[in-house]
Amino acid sequence: MKNFKPLSRNPLSFALASALAIAAAAPAVAQETDDDAAQAEQAEQQTSSSSAPTELQAITVTGSRIARDVFNSVSPVQVITREETTMAGFDSTTSALQSNTVTAGSSQINNAYGGYVTNGGPGANTLSLRGLGATRTLILLNGRRVAPAGSRGSVGSTDLNVLPSAMVDRVEILKDGASSIYGSDAVAGVVNLITRKNIDGVEFEAYHNATDGGGGDSRSYSIVFGKTGERSHFSGSYEYYNRNNLTIGDRDWAGGCPTTLWRDIEVGDYWGSGDYLDPMTGKPKCWHLDAGGVTINTLGTAAMEGTPGPGTSGSAFNRWRPNSAVTTGFAGFEGVSLDSRDSFDPAMLNESLISPATTHTVFFQGGVDIGAMGNAEIYYEALGNRRESSQTSYRQLSLDYAVNSPLLGDLSWLPAFMFPTETSNDEFVAARAFIGFGNTHNEQSVDFWRATAGVRGALSPEWNYDFMLSKSRSDADYTMESFLTDRIAQSMNVVSDGAGGFRCVDQSNGCVAAPMLSSQTIGGILPQQWKDFVLVPVTGNTLYEEDTVNFNVNGPLFDLPHGTVSGAFGVEYRRAEIDDTPSIHSINSNLYNLTSSAPTRGKDSVWEAYGEVELPLLSGIRGAEELTLNASARYTDYQSYGSDTTWKIGGLWTPVNWVSLRASYGTSYRAPALFEQFLGGTSGFLASSNDPCNDYGQRDPNSPRYINCASEGLAPDHQATQSVRVITQGGAETGLVAETSDALTVGVVLQPEFPTAFGDLSIAVDYFDIEVENGVARAGTSYILSQCYNGVDFANDTGFCRMVSRDPANNALTVLDGYVNLSTDKVRGLEFTSRYVRDIGPGEFRATVQLTKFLEQSSKTFPEDPLVDYNGMLQRPEMTGLLDLSYKVRNWRARYGLEWVDGMDSYAYYQENYPTLDFDPATSMYKIYTPNYFLSSTSVQYTGDKWSITAGVRNLFDKEPPKISQGVYNTVGNALLYSGYDYFGRNYFVNVTKSF
């Protein structure tokens, strides 16, 4: 079974943060203001290069609810403009947000994870800042929350697919904890998307991207329109986006021949020299199915004497491959081992590397001045989105033929070797056919809408108010093709039909008898009628709703000698509800070799009160051009877990005009997501192939897994005959509470005052330190089993092993995997940004350098465990960077961009934690490091009177993702599964806009 794969967390977890981008080294960018013209002017001033002082109108900065007229903000904010996104060649806001520029190498859930079990379901795209997870990053649209969307029971984060890319003017990214300002989820940071304002007329935009290697092409078409009058304004957009399927077979590095990529140190320092040579081809063996974890074209029986196949030694076997030339022993079959058995089917190349998707997005916004209630404006927003996505997978089918079954045919003499299974009709199993079934398909359709309305005006000449109502709804249908356990069992329970064939004993549901055991059956040549009977589409539905009511006021409180103390205060009520109803077959554990899913139903609500004050302590004196203190606090009362209080204090000190120092410290929290509280208690099953002790005798006798499996009294050739039972449930019944965190940020902004001829230089350096306590986590079944059987805690029944038990009667495994408050995550690092602007010749040259260096990326699952620092390991780079060079002359602009991901190395971790194995990089058979990774892109833009065209190339030098050995981390072929690497290859893009 390879339909949905669990994400290994060893030791990938959540990667880290992003480089701080400065617009003139100043992150004070408009969030929303009553004067749209002033807002647009302010944004332009921040991306221009003027060394002269500028009078800036007060605006609201992301991360604060108080308007201020200072160029710098207390907290670092990165700004990404629409033009930057277009010049970089991104096909959507989703792609721009998930780029290394924003995430600093954090591993993001994107369309390469379509075959894995992820929050939000297949096809969802989420954003994780600081590597702390998507549920700890808050997404806003015009300063207001964007509710979660997606499919399946684990919906808890904003799906970036719903964002109205055509209307996004810029994105402001606050890389600081801000729960005291925005409430729950703003632990790692806040992403605020600002839509375009003051639109008069109509604009068409078309984008097309074509890959050099074929597959994965994308295109989008949009129309933006609007009208601004004296007392009202209205604007809207419609966007169509489509991305084609990119299959594993479309890229040689992914589908050519993934091998174990082991090396033989005696041969030399050549990766792959230690790979097993397939005796059928004489070349390194391809492992397309989980690095050899399962097999196809193979028959399992009781151990017996027989003829060994090519590359197989010994005389007794329990795995066989059809071979009509064999006439002795087990006639018609040759014995095979783990290495020599079949594991490749050409249909595997059809699996989705990047899953296809189509979205339709509509957005409307507007307002009307009513001339009453303090010269108030009634405003509104409406967002609608439909996503249709799909994935192609490959399935193995295990058919169990019971003792004495008529379907055994000439093999009716085979003795029992397994306990009765769900499909053997309560009879012991004589033969198991491991069949390469072929491709199956999954589909999702997600309808999301969000409606917002409010009124804002003046309480007095200086105090303003804003009252807002918002409602969101995500309605998703998710369909997958699955074998039904009862239908397989029904089709295996047959009698003779009197005409040389068979008929089902129970002929309900239009039952079709299973095929007789034969070489053709084992080889995957199956009757279409039977396939149509046992493999059916099963559909579930996920409904997620969220309501928000907010009222806030802001204005001056009182005067101090150096300025006016300002304040902002408000109250908010939010209510959310989830209702996920899987297919009845999933609820009844009727999906063959897949886990069951019980309904997830629950709701939660919260009342909050918050306040923020800003005190100008000093201004315009020697040693203190500005000294400002900002403080905020929020009281929260959740229905689910009770009350909590968060706070934050920060300050900005500008001793001289060209130097600013800023610092903030505060607490944040994250209320448990609905799925973490109410995930339906599920007793599911994973295939018996997930037992870590299967064929453990073929491993190093000194390895922890060998020792641990042997200590249970299992035979070295142990083969699990029972599925792995998995018990999962939400944490509401066990007292799940909110996560808490502390965040410290300290930074300096330098803007040296050079002569005009030298140009403008801006530099910012920020230190960040975030620690999350009481983290809500579910380790995952595969991870629990791996950590238990590969660890040193086995004998003591501690750590992960306390979540695993084995039934001594039948050796069946049971794993407990629920959401609990147990983990700790900590990240520390430095972000550096330098921007240089100078007039050269007839045009303007601009250079930006962004670097993020992580000092620590630590986590632990259990409170008594030590913090393990994963900094610099695979999927958690220590450093990432961006170089952006552009030159604008008249109507032309040219750009070159270079993205860098530092080399990553996991040897030290495995040497320390697995001392009995050889993980010395000089001698180890495993390749678990990647070199420095550079990705170049270039583009050129021409802007006419009412039109523009941008064309360019991403991944200019067709850089392939680095390869590693299989079996340690999740891989695509031999490439590390990691969103920081490009899977498309060289691709060409063109963007055309036309205004009327």
Side-chain angles (χ1 to χ4, degrees), residues 221-293:
Y221 309 99
S222 67
I223 178 173
V224 176
F225 47 88
K227 178 66 176 179
T228 301
E230 291 185 4
R231 300 179 62 87
S232 66
H233 59 94
F234 167 80
S235 57
S237 65
Y238 165 74
E239 181 177 9
Y240 167 84
Y241 172 84
N242 173 263
R243 181 184 57 255
N244 293 338
N245 192 27
L246 177 64
T247 70
I248 289 179
D250 286 333
R251 296 294 178 264
D252 290 339
W253 58 264
C257 179
T259 73
T260 48
L261 205 63
W262 293 344
R263 69 170 174 175
D264 184 347
I265 195 63
E266 295 181 0
V267 174
D269 192 14
Y270 175 76
W271 299 115
S273 59
D275 286 350
Y276 174 79
L277 296 181
D278 191 334
M280 306 296 288
T281 64
K283 299 178 180 179
K285 186 173 182 64
C286 293
W287 296 108
H288 277 262
L289 279 177
D290 301 326

Side-chain angles (χ1 to χ4, degrees), residues 496-502 516:
S496 172
D497 64 0
F502 301 96
M516 181 182 291

Side-chain angles (χ1 to χ4, degrees), residues 54-123:
T54 305
E55 291 296 327
L56 302 181
Q57 181 165 344
I59 59 170
T60 304
V61 179
T62 296
S64 173
R65 294 182 182 271
I66 298 175
R68 66 196 314 266
D69 58 1
V70 181
F71 193 65
N72 295 316
S73 67
V74 171
S75 298
V77 176
Q78 176 179 346
V79 179
I80 301 176
T81 67
R82 183 175 186 82
E83 182 183 43
E84 290 170 341
T85 300
T86 301
M87 290 294 293
F90 293 119
D91 62 359
S92 63
T93 302
T94 299
S95 299
L97 288 176
Q98 291 184 329
S99 69
N100 286 339
T101 307
V102 176
T103 65
S106 297
S107 192
Q108 307 297 313
I109 298 301
N110 59 19
N111 296 294
Y113 288 76
Y116 291 84
V117 179
T118 58
N119 291 344

